[in-house]
Amino acid sequence: MTIFNLGSINADLFYRVPHLPGPGETLAATAFSRGLGGKGANMSVAAARAAARCVHVGAVGADGRWAVERLTEYGVDTRHIVTLDEATGHAIIAVDEGGENAIILHPGANRALSETHLAAALAEARDGDTFLFQNETNMQREGAERASARGMRVAYAAAPFDAAAVQSVLPLLDLLVLNAVEAAQLQAATGLAPEALPVRDVVVTLGAEGCRWHNTDSGESRDFPAPKVEPVDTTGAGDTFTGYLLAGLDRGMPMPQAISQAIRAAAIMVTRQGTADVIPDLKDVQDLSL
Ligand code: ATP
């Protein structure tokens, strides 16, 4: 089967600085690096690394062809990434010597997707394929509606959190992935605990604690502990978890098996510095002896 991931593609621009600049200050960076990021791109790479067929539905600007080429190298199907007359989404990330950061995020092309583009991509989907989305693009609700009508599994990673956006798609979802903060925010907005949401499967990630799965069909909740690792950089752990989870389900694994694999992949990810470029592949995950 295939995962269609409506998602962001960002250039993560890292600047090492002696201190974070103040108002009016011009500061020379001591180092610079550019990485592929964006929750959407991270999840597509994770799904592809987990051996799923993943079609990324998204957009870059003319300055973003390198990102598309990199996604292709990582095994993502990029035929439905369009080039728009906008800047490629990017994050300007200043990191000082103490590791403190300041980030400017420009969504650019990620929020300029058209319904025509979305419809053309989803026209390829078959019953039982997966539609995955997050909150860094536009067209989420339109996508969820089309996907649901086509009999796809509709999965949402509700980050960055927006209560109104989540509530508008809740009835269309088969699977919702939240971190603990997002779960608390959603409960504050709706009055509903994760296990009471009108979604068949809800997975709440709990950082070093692992995750909890709620299945409303059975009324069962189950905890999955994370392997103990020395964290180096937790960026992208949640995205790796979700990409692997969806890839496992898409490949026919029962939920507990897909979660176990996702937890192992995310544990490896927190031991690595970087985002999309360092997401572990299936062999790394299978070889993990923890
Ligand atoms: P992030 O924004 O840092 O990518 P998140 O806030 O979306 O992550 P978390 O719940 O922090 O989500 O982490 C997602 C998953 O990553 C967890 O469910 C767990 O499996 C794994 N993970 C995160 N931190 C650790 C850790 N310190 N040790 C082992 N696994 C971890």
Side-chain angles (χ1 to χ4, degrees):
M1 306 305 287
T2 304
I3 298 170
F4 290 78
N5 181 18
L6 170 67
S8 57
I9 300 168
N10 280 344
D12 284 342
L13 308 174
F14 291 95
Y15 299 86
R16 172 71 60 181
V17 287
H19 58 265
L20 299 180
E25 183 176 359
T26 300
L27 190 61
T30 54
F32 168 72
S33 65
R34 184 181 72 177
L36 175 62
K39 289 183 175 298
N42 294 344
M43 288 184 199
S44 283
V45 172
R49 289 258 159 111
R53 236 193 106 208
C54 181
V55 175
H56 191 99
V57 184
V60 293
D63 55 341
R65 294 313 301 172
W66 66 273
V68 179
E69 280 160 22
R70 210 174 284 181
L71 283 168
T72 307
E73 276 167 34
Y74 292 151
V76 176
D77 181 335
T78 57
R79 290 174 300 114
H80 289 288
I81 299 175
V82 293
T83 304
L84 301 178
D85 192 14
E86 298 272 347
T88 300
H90 56 275
I92 295 174
I93 306 164
V95 185
D96 74 11
E97 275 158 10
E100 188 64 70
N101 65 32
I103 301 175
I104 297 172
L105 181 67
H106 180 62
N110 291 320
R111 293 228 192 256
L113 299 169
S114 71
E115 188 146 13
T116 317
H117 167 206
L118 177 73
L122 292 187
E124 287 181 12
R126 288 169 305 163
D127 200 15
D129 282 348
T130 296
F131 178 69
L132 169 63
F133 62 111
Q134 316 79 33
N135 228 3
E136 288 186 338
T137 66
N138 59 335
M139 290 290 148
Q140 288 97 332
R141 190 180 158 84
E142 291 84 348
E145 276 170 352
R146 280 179 184 273
S148 179
R150 290 189 83 85
M152 299 173 79
R153 173 192 290 116
V154 181
Y156 182 35
F161 188 77
D162 175 336
V166 187
Q167 284 173 276
S168 79
V169 295
L170 268 185
L172 300 165
L173 302 180
D174 298 298
L175 169 63
L176 175 63
V177 182
L178 302 160
N179 68 19
V181 175
E182 292 151 4
Q185 288 172 316
L186 187 56
Q187 184 160 357
T190 60
L192 296 175
E195 61 273 22
L197 290 167
V199 178
R200 191 179 64 225
D201 291 300
V202 179
V203 176
V204 180
T205 65
L206 303 166
E209 304 289 303
C211 73
R212 179 168 292 165
W213 165 46
H214 306 282
N215 178 262
T216 46
D217 283 350
S218 66
E220 193 196 345
S221 293
R222 190 164 150 189
D223 288 330
F224 294 79
K228 299 256 172 297
V229 292
E230 279 302 317
V232 172
D233 174 12
T234 62
T235 319
D239 300 340
T240 300
F241 177 94
T242 304
Y244 261 84
L245 174 64
L246 270 301
L249 295 174
D250 179 70
R251 294 173 61 223
M253 286 180 187
M255 183 67 89
Q257 196 185 340
I259 289 178
S260 299
Q261 184 176 273
I263 276 203
R264 291 162 67 83
I268 297 173
M269 189 62 183
V270 302
T271 66
R272 297 180 176 179
Q273 186 82 47
T275 43
D277 300 305
V278 299
I279 292 174
D281 63 21
L282 203 49
K283 185 168 183 316
D284 296 333
V285 175
Q286 285 161 349
D287 289 350
L288 179 71
S289 55
L290 286 168

